Amino acid sequence: MRFVEPSREVLAETLLAAGPHSPTLCDGWQTKELAAHLYLREHRPSVALGGLIKPLALVSEKATRTLAAKSASVNGYAKLIKDIQKGHPAYSLARFPSIDTSTNLIEYFVHTEDVRRARSRWAPRALDEEYSNALWDELIKRAAILYRGVDLGIVLVRPDGPRHVAKRAPVSVAIVGEPGELLMHAHGRTRHALVTFEGQPDAVALLDSAEVGL
């Protein structure tokens, strides 16, 4: 849990510095929509589930767009970011540290990078080793789900040695990168992840065209 609140703060600061109308890597969303999503997922979870449950998708998108429109001004956006910084409400299951980590640690990292990497020029952050290890631990818990749509075996490899078999198949591709970069690739930000691939050229090409992430 020790990394969740600092990650929330970094995300909030990144969003605030970008302003309400900056691009993100989330298709069709500017920063105001991303901020609205982050607020709704904690305060109206049933609405935020639209990203995972198709019947709720239209409801979720409408709620996100409505809140984003209300937060389009500088003052309205600043208030929304301040509300995000306050953290989850008292009734949230995220009050339990293990749930907070599993639901928010990766979410905050990926969305921070969604803002940072939407610019034409960006550089990866230098992450604390313990923080990188925490990201890795959460990634390997869900890697099989994130790569379920790929018709290949997938092996995640860190440059410092650790590796994880996310999916087994007769033909595999190894994806090599730091934990944060592997996270970005696994969550569908494949064009903005600093990773390399080891495998047969046709297998790597298949991975390149596959649907990755939730």
Side-chain angles (χ1 to χ4, degrees), residues 18-56:
H21 303 293
S22 293
T24 76
L25 298 185
C26 302
D27 190 31
W29 282 2
Q30 293 184 327
T31 39
K32 64 182 185 297
E33 282 81 21
L34 177 53
H37 159 75
L38 290 164
Y39 178 84
L40 290 171
R41 72 183 286 273
E42 291 195 316
H43 292 81
R44 293 176 62 188
S46 61
V47 170
L49 284 174
L52 300 175
I53 304 174
K54 288 186 178 181
L56 294 177

Side-chain angles (χ1 to χ4, degrees), residues 150-154 171-175 185 191 195-210 212:
V150 181
D151 192 22
L152 291 165
I154 297 293
V171 178
S172 296
V173 172
I175 308 173
H185 188 276
R191 298 290 182 269
V195 297
T196 58
F197 306 99
E198 297 176 358
Q200 299 174 6
D202 56 342
V204 173
L206 179 59
L207 175 59
D208 187 57
S209 63
V212 177

